[in-house]
Structures are given as structure tokens and as C-alpha cells.
Amino acid sequence: MSVLNTAQRNAVQELLRVSPVADELGRRFGAAGHELHLVGGSVRDALLGRLGDDLDFCTDARPEQTLAVVKGWADAIWETGREFGTIGVQKNGLRLEITTYRAEAYDGVTRNPVVEYGDNLLDDLRRRDFTINAMAVSLPGHVFTDPYGGLEDLAAGLIRTPSRPEESFGDDPLRMLRAARFAAKLRFTVDPAVLTAMREMAADLDRITAERIRDEFTKLLCGIDPVGGLRLLVDTGLADRFLPELSGLKLEIDEHAQHKDVYEHTLIVVANAVRLEGDAGPDFILRMAALMHDVGKPATKAVGRDGRVSFHHHEVVGARLTKQRMKAMKYPKDVISDVVGLVALHLRFYGYGRGEWTDSAVRRYVTDAGPLLPRLHKLTRSDCTTRNRRKAAALAADYDALEERIARIQEEEDLARVRPDLDGNAIMELLGVPPGPIVGQAWRHLKELRLDRGPLPRDEAEAELLRWAREHGHIS
């Protein structure tokens, strides 16, 4: 059986799973005198045998007419996309988005499309981003419509635009980023004409809001093959428009100052991080930390008298650059904090194998990482990319030993909840002070002591507190 027939068979099997709802909805639209088609990504995913529970439909009905059709039938309705012609519906656990045929208009200046309703399916399909998203299946009749060869492109693993790439990207420059995203998601190849247009029109991405770019980039980085998508961003110049630190990793390497290719190393670290995620699925924070962990190297590169290259404190500079970039891309503060924390900590492990770490250093490693520790383990292991097998094996063995040591100390001391041996009430009682700054200072001193020496007996902790208080003039 050919690839196309296999794809069609997959689509039929997937459509049968959702057809009771989809066909029932199609009959309701037909009874009201309207067309309804399953469209876009839903058809593509059905052909790939991976149709989810979010379904996209298009219709000649206007939003108010769609509302009239689904009221009394849908389990829930939302109108948040109504201004763009979309009505959302929930039915039997499926999320359905029903959009009026569109002929979007752009003036080449505004950052968002101006919606104009269309009146036929073919024009609606032509305005879509790629041929693999420009296919439709009528409901309830299941007539397949594919005017731009999307099925063949799907079988060939090719990303191509229904209209000329320059016209498509001129309408919405975000589609250039979407091309890289679909390459990462599907492991598809971008058509040469599309690639050329991406290179020539990369600057047009500046018309797009940071939020739209952020959302598209997040999907790219969480794709099956983020490395392929990232290479496209750099090779086409798109990365320069919103993530120049990525292109900046391509440091010049000369015969007199040899060092690891930072760009290629970074892509390997991202791939390693993906492999270490396990069954939990895409972890954006881990992947973003892997991508940004060495962005401080270009600014800290130095060549010593012996010709050796160094990047002193690049983790500090990298953390600062990561925070600035993610803030500019409008990521939430908690996401930025986690990624920045991992970048700042990613070098901490190196040196452990020389036997210099005390139990105190291990406690601080765990405490500083906090809830990021599982991700820090994965990031550190991902960062060991040396081709020297003996060195790689030694690094892996060292980190195995560190994790075992952490587990032992955690079992003995519950490192996840390191607290001083005396709480605030005990501090106030011993020092005879009310709530205030002195209590906080004493608490932090005792926590540092706890990290250095481990759990202390009560009498020893009290003696240390009184000694500290006398030294700082809080008691006589």
C-alpha cells in the first residue's frame, strides 16, 4: 500500500473516532443551510494518525449564525474568538473551534491581521499558511478537498505555502517562524522557495508582537526535533530578529586559540536534554536552560598567554542575558526565574570530581537549586558533551557519585527542608528581643551554620546563637 493510501486510511480511522460528534454537528449546520468542514491542522493530524481532542472547523456561517446552530446542543460555548470569526464549543469531551470562512487582509504595517469574512472554502484554504494545513473534509459527507497538494507534501515531508511564499509571508510574517516550528514538530523539510523567502524577508518578523513570537517559539522548542527548528532560525536569520544570542554562539575558532564550537555544543546539549526528559513530555524550562546555558561565553571569551581560551564567569553573564532576553519575549516571571536559575547554576558541579566538596558544599548545592534540582541534574548531564570517552565516563561517574551523596545526606538530614536548628520564637526568647530585623539576621546566621555543619544539638545551637548575638552587640 502506498504512503498516500496509508495516510488516507489513518484519516478514516481517526475521523471515525470523532465522527459521531463531527457528523452530528455537520448535519445541524446543513439543516440550517450552511456548510461545515473539518479543516487545517485537524485534517493534517488525522492523516498522520494523531488527531487529538481539539478539532478545527470552517463554515460559511457567520459567528451569530454559528451560535444559533450550537446553542442547546453544545455542553459549553465560549466567544473569546468571536471578533476573529471563531466560536468555541465543548461537546462530549471534545473542544471544537468553528471559524467563518476568512479572507484575511493585511496592510503590511499592522502587527495583527484584520479579519474579512470569505464566502467559499477554496479561498479560505488558499489564505492558510502551508499546504499541509490547507486540506478539508466535509461533514457529514466526508468529501476530501485538497486544492494545493497538501496530501502529497504530507507524504513527502515537505513544508510549502499554498500561494507564493513572498505573498504568504507578506500577509503574516509569523508564518516564517511557523515554518521552522513545523519542521521541529514534524521533522519535515522546508521547500527551497520557502527557505529563500524566509532569508530575504526575515526582517519582516519585526512587525510581529513579542507575545506571538514567544508562543510560536515555545512550540518550536517543545517540538519533537527542536534542533532542526533552531538551525532553521539561525540559517535564515530569523533568530537575529528575536533571539540574537543564539546566532551569537557561532564564535570564530582559529588554529591558535582552539575551543569547543559553542553553537554546535549548545545544540547537542538541547538534544541531550530532550533525551533525558523521560515520559513526562516536553519540558520547556529545561530545554530553554539548555539553549541559553552558554550565551554568556561570547562576552567573556579570553585568550591566555598560553593560548588557552577561557570563559570566566560566563554563567553569571549568561544568567543576566537570559533574564533580559526572556523578559523582552514576555515570558512569565516564574518561568524566567527558573530558567535563569538553571543557567546560573549549570557550572557549579565542575570541580566536584577533584574531591574538593565537603558535605557543606553538597548541602548548599541542593539548597541553592531548591525545586530545580531534578532539572539541574539533567542539565548538568546534558552539558557533558566531550568526545573523549574516558573524560565523558569520568564526568558521568562523578555526577553519579554526587547524586548518591546527595541522596545519602538527604536521607539523613531532609535537605529539601533545611531550616535553622532554632525557630523565630526560640530566637526571640533566648535573646529577649521582639519581632524585627535582629530575629531575621539571627535566623539567617543559624541557617548558614546549619548548611556548614549539619544538624546541631539544641544546646550547641543555643550557644552559637548567644555567641553571635554578643559579637554583634545584641546582648551583653
Side-chain angles (χ1 to χ4, degrees):
M1 180 174 290
S2 70
V3 174
L4 295 186
N5 284 339
T6 299
Q8 290 169 327
R9 183 181 62 186
N10 287 339
V12 170
Q13 291 173 340
E14 290 289 274
L15 289 172
L16 285 175
R17 180 174 64 82
V18 301
S19 63
V21 169
D23 286 347
E24 184 179 348
L25 184 61
R27 285 190 290 269
R28 291 181 68 89
F29 271 84
H34 299 296
E35 301 174 1
L36 185 72
H37 301 266
L38 189 70
V39 72
S42 292
V43 176
R44 178 199 71 228
D45 289 344
L47 289 165
L48 292 172
R50 58 177 74 162
L51 184 62
D53 294 331
D54 293 339
L55 307 179
D56 295 324
F57 300 85
C58 64
T59 179
D60 59 340
R62 299 296 172 90
E64 61 275 12
Q65 295 171 317
T66 294
L67 282 170
V69 171
V70 299
K71 280 184 177 177
W73 175 79
D75 298 330
I77 299 172
W78 55 94
E79 301 181 43
T80 51
R82 182 170 179 168
E83 65 176 309
F84 299 107
T86 300
I87 300 297
V89 170
Q90 183 170 319
K91 181 69 174 181
N92 295 351
L94 299 174
R95 288 174 57 90
L96 321 176
E97 288 201 344
I98 307 162
T99 302
T100 303
Y101 292 152
R102 296 197 299 203
E104 289 173 348
Y106 303 78
D107 61 11
V109 177
T110 57
R111 296 180 172 191
N112 291 309
V114 177
V115 173
E116 290 186 1
Y117 295 134
D119 57 12
N120 67 86
L121 175 64
L122 293 183
D123 285 348
D124 180 89
L125 295 179
R126 187 177 188 278
R127 70 157 187 85
R128 293 177 181 268
D129 52 7
F130 306 112
T131 59
I132 59 174
N133 298 328
M135 298 176 283
V137 176
S138 67
L139 299 167
H142 295 187
V143 175
F144 185 69
T145 302
D146 178 21
Y148 303 107
L151 190 58
E152 291 184 3
D153 288 345
L154 196 67
L158 187 66
I159 296 172
R160 191 169 57 85
T161 54
S163 58
R164 290 175 53 251
E166 295 80 6
E167 178 183 342
S168 180
F169 297 156
D171 282 349
D172 186 359
L174 188 68
R175 289 172 174 170
M176 295 185 286
L177 188 50
R178 284 172 62 82
R181 192 251 287 187
F182 279 113
K185 177 181 179 179
L186 303 173
R187 285 200 175 104
F188 277 19
T189 300
V190 178
D191 180 73
V194 173
L195 269 179
T196 298
M198 290 167 69
R199 292 190 181 99
E200 293 177 350
M201 301 178 67
D204 286 8
L205 195 64
D206 296 348
R207 289 164 37 198
I208 305 301
T209 62
E211 291 85 353
R212 293 183 72 204
I213 291 174
R214 173 202 64 204
D215 292 346
E216 206 61 52
F217 174 73
T218 300
K219 293 175 183 175
L220 183 158
L221 195 57
C222 291
I224 295 173
D225 179 24
V227 170
L230 293 169
R231 286 192 186 279
L232 276 170
L233 294 183
V234 172
D235 293 346
T236 57
L238 287 169
D240 294 334
R241 315 314 306 184
F242 70 95
L243 191 61
E245 293 82 4
L246 178 57
S247 305
L249 293 174
K250 285 192 167 186
L251 298 180
E252 182 179 349
I253 300 176
D254 60 63
E255 60 183 343
H256 304 295
Q258 287 290 330
H259 62 82
K260 187 181 297 183
D261 185 326
V262 182
Y263 173 69
E264 290 298 333
H265 162 74
T266 295
L267 296 182
I268 293 172
V269 173
V270 172
N272 289 345
V274 171
R275 283 194 291 271
L276 290 178
E277 283 175 340
D279 298 329
D283 182 346
F284 171 78
I285 290 172
L286 175 62
R287 294 186 184 197
M288 189 64 176
L291 181 65
M292 303 296 284
H293 79 286
D294 274 349
V295 295
K297 281 189 170 180
T300 58
K301 180 183 176 182
V303 182
R305 293 179 179 178
D306 59 357
R308 295 176 64 87
V309 176
S310 64
F311 305 97
H312 292 307
H313 305 301
H314 77 267
E315 76 281 11
V316 177
V317 175
R320 175 173 54 80
L321 293 174
T322 298
K323 184 175 183 178
Q324 292 173 349
R325 180 55 54 196
M326 293 188 71
K327 186 176 180 181
M329 293 177 71
K330 308 294 187 183
Y331 278 101
K333 290 182 179 179
D334 58 335
V335 174
I336 296 175
S337 177
D338 284 350
V339 175
V340 169
L342 288 170
V343 172
L345 288 168
H346 84 274
L347 276 187
R348 184 77 68 86
F349 159 71
Y350 293 94
Y352 176 78
R354 296 195 294 269
E356 299 171 356
W357 282 34
T358 61
D359 281 358
S360 172
V362 176
R363 290 189 197 98
R364 290 181 183 279
Y365 186 76
V366 174
T367 302
D368 289 348
L372 293 175
L373 185 62
R375 286 188 174 111
L376 182 58
H377 287 331
K378 294 176 182 177
L379 177 60
T380 304
R381 289 186 180 277
S382 299
D383 195 24
C384 298
T385 63
T386 177
R387 295 180 182 178
N388 184 316
R389 292 185 179 181
R390 182 177 298 177
K391 185 177 179 181
L395 286 170
D398 287 344
Y399 209 83
D400 288 342
L402 176 58
E403 288 203 55
E404 291 169 6
R405 192 171 173 188
I406 289 172
R408 175 180 59 79
I409 297 176
Q410 279 180 325
E411 185 177 351
E412 295 172 355
E413 304 179 20
D414 193 10
L415 289 182
R417 288 185 288 274
V418 169
R419 295 290 186 273
D421 296 291
L422 302 176
D423 62 17
N425 291 326
I427 292 170
M428 288 187 288
E429 182 179 348
L430 277 167
L431 300 184
V433 296
I438 292 176
V439 179
Q441 293 167 17
W443 191 93
R444 286 189 289 274
H445 169 71
L446 289 173
K447 181 175 180 180
E448 288 297 310
L449 204 63
R450 171 74 170 74
L451 288 170
D452 282 338
R453 293 162 53 178
L456 298 178
R458 174 83 179 198
D459 59 346
E460 190 173 341
E462 290 179 353
E464 287 289 349
L465 173 63
L466 293 172
R467 182 188 59 77
W468 172 87
R470 289 191 190 96
E471 287 180 359
H472 289 78
H474 299 312
I475 62 174
S476 57

